[in-house]
Amino acid sequence: MSRFVTLNLAQGDWRQGFPLVIAQIWEAGGSIPMRSTGGLPAAPELFGLYRKWRSFYEALYPGLGWRHVDEKPVIEIEQDGVNQVSADKFRALCQQLQYSFNHWLKADQFRPIDQQLRTQLSPSEEIRIIIETEDNPLRSFPWRLWDFFEDYPQAELAISAQAYNRPLTVSQEPRERMRILAILGNSEGITVERDRTLLQQFAAAEVVFLVEPQRQELDQWLWHDQGWDILFFAGHSASEADGNTGRIEINLTDHLTIAQLKNALKASITRGLQLAIFNSCDGLGLARSLADLQIPQLIVMREPVPDPVAHDFLKHLLSAFVAGRSLYPAVREASEKLQGLETQFPCASWLPVICQNPAASLSDWPNLQAQPPDDRFVSPSSAALSVREKPRPRDAKRLWIVVGLTSLLITGLIIGIRALGLLESAELRAYDRFMQLRPDEAQDERLLIVTIDDADIQYQQQLGMTMQGSLSDQALGLLLEKLQRFEPRSVGLDLYRSELFPVAQTDLGASIQTDIPLFVICKVPAPEGGDPGGVAPPSNFPSDYVGFSDFLVDRDSVLRRHLLAFKNPDPASDCTASNAFNLLIALHYLETAVGIHYELTPNKAFQFGDTVFKRLTANAGGYHRIDASGYQILLNYRSYRSPQKMAQTLSLREILADRIPADSIEQLKGRIILVGVTGVSSGDAWLTPYSLAQVQASKNMPGVILHAQMITQILSAVLDHRRPLIWWWPEWGEILWIWAWATVGGTLAGLIRHPLPLSAVGMATLGVLYGICYSCFIQAGWIPIIPTAIGLILAPVGVTWGLKQFPPGEKSDCH
């Protein structure tokens, strides 16, 4: 149940006392109040103590970094002794003031009123106590020090003029949500953006923001036909010396009194304005002026208020509203929570005060029925929030300066870190992940792979063949003879052999080499390590059909690059081949099957028709100073369910035992046939981008499969235009890309100041970045994602810090 109490101090002042104090208590919904009378004695000492408190409060501003409002105080302040103010002295003075105030209220003349209040009211009730007085010092006194409020935790105080009328209103269509007109005035030296952020999170309201408006614009919005439930102001304000008027600074140049907005404010009150909140300094003069217009309720600060106190009060007030508190309990709760700031800002909890028109309907704060009881703050993206803003050029310029400088600094930092190679590992892991996530492709029907695994080796031994490595001479001769039925385009033997055919099979070898182009391998020292001596090809084998089998691996031993050609620095080495085994086979296929011959561009790059094979550079993509000697490109793996199944395979024993049906042989005719070892014991297996995504037993890729991957890459790039070679941007393009996304992140931080919605939008933006980079990778584009994501994440942090460090103006912290 809610109770309503008025204390009318109509006659007297501090010096003479108040001979007649009238107390009235209304039951909730009752029309006839209970009434008692009493008085209060003269209290010149209390008045003098309060003057001293005001002088100390004012004197503490410079020491705490607050802005001293350059106005004459309502009470004239004597400066004696003020220069020696300390926090301890001020706290002792506060305790003395509280004791003296309660001692005054325990006077015999006031006891009948105090007793009736304590008899008729219950501590569990919501109690609204309104002090009706025209005495300005009494209006500005912190009545919350009365120990009655300690005993009645649901009670809260308001002040009122003695003369008041019921406001005239016109009927309005019911609103689905309350409407708030928020004026963000002159913010020189303070941060009203924090007030805006808090209101933006208040999902129960439609908020219209006017940022440093001109007088005509403000007047027009106050006259809005739909009316307003709440008028909110954040900025600079002050009361005049007489205590009866006040002014607000709506922008850098315009200072307005309530009288200058009288007609527009009356129109707003007529259209349903219920509450005005002035989250600004020294608002009792504003309250006095608005009381003449019969506004129902106001919340003001009785003294100059520091910026952090104003922010916390608004945060706690809105939280209490959303939690279902009515106006009076909400203000009390928000005020009491300010006590946590009083180490830095003494008496912060004394500052907020309600100003009430008792003739107005004492309804709760504007209807929150659309809000479920357990609502809390939500982000602007999830709240249907209507925000109209007039851009503030000064703040907008500052924002873009901070965003621009931050994005440039972040980009420079990332490029520097990248230049040191510190991001290479992360970028290569991201490359591998994109490679793993690419959709499956069809098998390449231009290739057939004959595998030799451990079971095939055992099969040869069972047949009594004399083994030479993984493939006996007898098995090799028999295999080549049986492969002639497949009419292959060429055969590539990924096997190291000192002799291809023994003396007894010389005629067979000559016949096969005539009917089937046969390619073999040797090994040269690779650009990044390798066997210094190399491995020689079979003796007396035509050099045009010999290619090196060497692969290049990165620092993490993963094979991502494709070495096409290499100039052997040692002509006397065992292997003098300058072209890769897989390149020779691909060139032969292009020449014989489709009549395409390669050319060299002026830059000495391979070109097949319109396809140019872009040479890998030392800092291409995410690489950092790799050895790019020779002719290297990135390997664009093909995967069909698994990258090791990119082409059809047959085992050696299937072919030797004639287990291949005739119709299958017919379908396999005309292909490139590769023969190589896939057994675990062979040692010819390599880590690839797919390795970490596969089970341990098959995570390494056999060399013959890698050669097949490289052959299909060349053929697909030339013949299948839907499968291009992997490309990357020049370094300047990557720098612009990173800077652009850092700018996006910084801009988001400048526009969305609350951490929760900023985090949500930031995560969504990261998702967009990931989607773009992945989509490009599907089209064979390697766009940097790791440094870009770092820039997108760091830029909001930098912009947020920058906006806090360089607010507009450095002159004050006081609203």
Side-chain angles (χ1 to χ4, degrees):
M1 184 170 65
S2 177
R3 307 292 290 276
F4 171 38
V5 178
T6 62
L7 294 178
N8 188 303
L9 289 78
Q11 303 174 10
D13 57 27
W14 291 87
R15 296 176 180 85
Q16 301 175 11
F18 297 89
L20 178 61
V21 179
I22 302 172
Q24 298 184 89
I25 304 175
W26 274 265
E27 298 281 354
S31 58
I32 301 176
M34 292 179 285
R35 177 184 174 116
S36 64
T37 60
L40 283 167
E45 298 83 2
L46 180 59
F47 177 66
L49 195 61
Y50 178 54
R51 288 197 308 169
K52 186 176 182 180
W53 179 87
R54 286 287 302 272
S55 68
F56 275 37
Y57 184 84
E58 294 282 344
L60 277 174
Y61 281 136
L64 293 174
W66 300 345
R67 179 180 183 267
H68 178 62
V69 180
D70 189 16
E71 294 290 334
K72 292 182 180 180
V74 175
I75 300 175
E76 298 209 1
I77 298 174
E78 297 176 359
Q79 295 299 320
D80 296 342
V82 169
N83 292 335
Q84 301 302 319
V85 171
S86 69
D88 290 339
K89 286 183 179 180
F90 187 66
R91 279 192 287 269
L93 180 60
C94 293
Q95 293 174 1
Q96 185 181 0
L97 179 64
Q98 183 171 6
Y99 173 82
S100 299
F101 180 57
N102 281 287
H103 181 73
W104 183 54
L105 294 176
K106 288 182 172 66
D108 292 341
Q109 301 96 309
F110 193 70
R111 185 170 298 144
I113 293 176
D114 186 73
Q115 288 178 346
Q116 187 188 40
L117 293 179
R118 294 178 183 274
T119 301
Q120 298 297 326
L121 301 175
S122 169
S124 62
E125 293 177 313
E126 181 182 320
I127 304 167
R128 308 173 187 186
I129 299 179
I130 300 176
I131 309 297
E132 298 177 356
T133 181
E134 300 296 336
D135 185 79
N136 284 330
L138 198 61
R139 289 167 62 88
S140 62
F141 198 88
W143 280 83
R144 196 175 284 110
L145 300 180
W146 185 10
D147 58 13
F148 177 88
F149 293 102
E150 291 289 333
D151 300 332
Y152 289 79
Q154 300 300 316
E156 178 57 15
L157 172 98
I159 60 174
S160 168
Q162 288 184 313
Y164 40 79
N165 293 306
R166 188 177 301 277
L168 298 176
T169 59
V170 297
S171 60
Q172 294 274 332
E173 290 289 332
R175 298 186 182 115
E176 293 183 2
R177 290 186 298 151
M178 69 180 67
R179 284 169 52 81
I180 299 177
L181 179 62
I183 305 165
L184 305 181
N186 177 19
S187 62
E188 185 176 6
I190 59 175
T191 311
V192 298
E193 291 296 330
R194 175 62 175 158
D195 301 71
R196 181 177 99 172
T197 300
L198 291 168
L199 288 172
Q200 283 179 330
Q201 297 162 19
F202 191 40
E206 174 189 356
V207 186
V208 173
F209 290 98
L210 301 181
V211 182
E212 293 196 357
Q214 298 300 310
R215 177 179 176 180
Q216 182 180 8
E217 181 186 13
L218 172 58
D219 203 74
Q220 289 174 348
W221 280 104
L222 288 171
W223 277 94
H224 199 277
D225 290 340
Q226 294 183 33
W228 307 99
D229 295 298
I230 299 174
L231 175 66
F232 176 86
F233 174 81
H236 293 292
S237 66
S239 294
E240 304 296 343
D242 60 6
N244 294 323
T245 57
R247 59 178 173 81
I248 59 174
E249 300 180 6
I250 61 172
N251 54 50
L252 281 171
T253 58
D254 292 329
H255 302 180
L256 300 182
T257 64
I258 298 302
Q260 291 173 293
L261 297 170
K262 176 180 177 180
N263 293 337
L265 287 168
K266 287 178 67 176
S268 289
I269 294 170
T270 301
R271 291 180 172 90
L273 181 63
Q274 294 293 311
L275 174 65
I277 302 174
F278 286 85
N279 203 24
S280 57
C281 287
D282 196 11
L284 287 172
L286 296 168
R288 176 71 77 129
S289 300
L290 281 165
D292 295 338
L293 303 181
Q294 313 306 325
I295 188 169
Q297 298 166 126
L298 296 94
I299 301 174
V300 299
M301 299 293 180
R302 65 175 79 247
E303 305 289 349
V305 57
D307 211 29
V309 174
H311 294 155
D312 272 25
F313 174 73
L314 180 60
K315 177 179 70 174
H316 298 320
L317 182 68
L318 295 178
S319 295
F321 284 156
V322 171
R325 312 281 194 277
S326 57
L327 178 62
Y328 280 65
V331 172
R332 173 163 182 164
E333 179 180 313
S335 300
E336 289 178 340
K337 286 183 176 180
L338 295 178
Q339 192 175 41
L341 298 176
E342 291 187 347
T343 299
Q344 185 178 3
F345 304 107
C347 302
S349 61
W350 297 13
L351 300 180
V353 60
I354 301 171
C355 300
Q356 176 72 53
N357 177 359
S361 172
L362 292 178
S363 61
D364 290 340
W365 123 285
N367 195 352
L368 279 172
Q369 62 182 2
Q371 281 289 98
D374 60 344
D375 268 6
R376 296 294 183 266
F377 283 148
V378 297
S379 69
S381 59
S382 60
L385 187 67
S386 172
V387 179
R388 302 177 182 88
E389 291 192 30
K390 180 175 78 68
R392 182 165 49 176
R394 179 164 54 86
D395 272 7
K397 181 179 179 181
R398 179 176 64 94
L399 169 62
W400 290 118
I401 290 174
V402 172
V403 169
L405 290 176
T406 302
S407 61
L408 287 174
L409 288 173
I410 294 295
T411 302
L413 175 65
I414 293 172
I415 297 304
I417 294 174
R418 201 177 187 221
L420 295 174
L422 301 180
L423 298 182
E424 182 182 75
S425 177
E427 291 194 72
L428 292 179
R429 285 197 298 270
Y431 176 94
D432 295 345
R433 186 58 181 160
F434 280 161
M435 187 70 74
Q436 297 162 15
L437 292 175
R438 291 197 309 179
D440 285 342
E441 304 176 66
Q443 288 184 324
D444 192 335
E445 296 183 353
R446 294 171 293 224
L447 285 90
L448 173 64
I449 303 172
V450 178
T451 63
I452 304 172
D453 58 15
D454 294 340
D456 292 310
I457 295 174
Q458 293 177 4
Y459 177 77
Q460 296 175 68
Q461 293 172 343
Q462 291 172 0
L463 295 179
M465 296 180 178
T466 303
M467 300 302 298
Q468 181 181 342
S470 301
L471 186 66
S472 67
D473 292 336
Q474 301 97 314
L476 174 59
L478 186 59
L479 172 64
L480 293 176
E481 183 177 357
K482 291 181 179 293
L483 286 180
Q484 294 186 70
R485 294 181 298 166
F486 292 84
E487 301 178 10
R489 183 71 57 179
S490 62
V491 174
L493 296 181
D494 182 29
L495 300 166
Y496 292 121
R497 299 182 68 85
S498 58
E499 287 187 309
L500 190 59
F501 302 104
V503 176
Q505 293 181 314
T506 301
D507 294 340
L508 173 63
S511 172
I512 291 175
Q513 186 66 8
T514 302
D515 297 335
I516 305 174
L518 183 63
F519 294 88
V520 296
I521 61 173
C522 64
K523 183 176 180 59
V524 298
E528 295 183 1
D531 186 350
V535 178
S539 59
N540 300 320
F541 203 86
S543 60
D544 291 344
Y545 292 86
V546 178
F548 63 76
S549 63
D550 297 68
F551 297 136
L552 295 179
V553 295
D554 293 329
R555 295 181 179 95
D556 56 2
S557 300
V558 176
L559 196 154
R560 302 180 182 92
R561 291 176 282 158
H562 179 181
L563 182 61
L564 292 172
F566 174 70
K567 184 176 181 181
N568 193 336
D570 182 11
S573 65
D574 292 334
C575 177
T576 58
S578 59
N579 293 323
F581 170 65
N582 48 77
L583 174 63
L584 292 179
I585 295 174
L587 290 176
H588 179 269
Y589 183 92
L590 292 172
E591 292 172 0
T592 59
V594 292
I596 295 178
H597 299 265
Y598 82 91
E599 300 175 353
L600 289 178
T601 68
N603 294 327
K604 304 299 181 181
F606 285 131
Q607 180 172 348
F608 298 85
D610 296 332
T611 304
V612 177
F613 283 47
K614 184 178 179 180
R615 191 190 296 259
L616 195 69
T617 58
N619 294 311
Y623 282 115
H624 171 68
R625 296 183 181 179
I626 60 170
D627 183 352
S629 59
Y631 201 117
Q632 303 178 34
I633 59 175
L634 287 169
L635 178 53
N636 190 2
Y637 284 88
R638 178 190 290 265
S639 178
Y640 174 73
R641 298 180 182 173
S642 162
Q644 300 199 33
K645 298 179 181 178
M646 43 76 61
Q648 187 165 345
T649 61
L650 295 174
S651 68
L652 174 67
R653 57 189 181 279
E654 287 179 307
I655 296 177
L656 296 184
D658 292 325
R659 298 177 188 171
I660 312 301
D663 55 344
S664 296
I665 293 176
E666 191 66 28
Q667 294 175 4
L668 296 174
K669 285 184 177 181
R671 299 194 180 196
I672 297 170
I673 298 179
L674 295 178
V675 181
V677 180
T678 60
V680 177
S681 61
S682 69
D684 184 23
W686 305 78
L687 289 173
T688 71
Y690 295 91
S691 295
L692 295 179
Q694 298 172 353
V695 296
Q696 183 71 23
S698 60
K699 72 175 186 176
N700 293 345
M701 187 176 292
V704 67
I705 305 295
L706 282 170
H707 282 299
Q709 289 280 2
M710 294 173 179
I711 292 170
T712 191
Q713 160 163 269
I714 298 171
L715 298 183
S716 297
V718 177
L719 303 177
D720 306 336
H721 296 294
R722 292 177 298 178
R723 200 172 189 279
L725 296 168
I726 293 178
W727 52 268
W728 57 92
W729 283 336
E731 289 188 62
W732 63 263
E734 294 181 338
I735 292 173
L736 286 178
W737 172 256
I738 295 169
W739 170 78
W741 281 93
T743 302
V744 170
T747 302
L748 291 176
L751 299 177
I752 306 172
R753 301 297 178 84
H754 193 273
L756 289 180
L758 177 60
S759 299
V761 174
M763 291 298 294
T765 309
L766 278 173
V768 172
L769 171 63
Y770 185 91
I772 292 174
C773 292
Y774 176 65
S775 298
C776 289
F777 198 84
I778 291 178
Q779 302 301 319
W782 186 12
I783 296 177
I785 183 173
I786 297 300
T788 311
I790 293 173
L792 182 60
I793 293 169
L794 289 184
V797 177
V799 168
T800 301
W801 180 87
L803 292 175
K804 289 181 179 179
Q805 296 300 314
F806 306 104
E810 299 289 344
K811 296 182 180 179
S812 78
D813 291 329
C814 174
H815 266 341

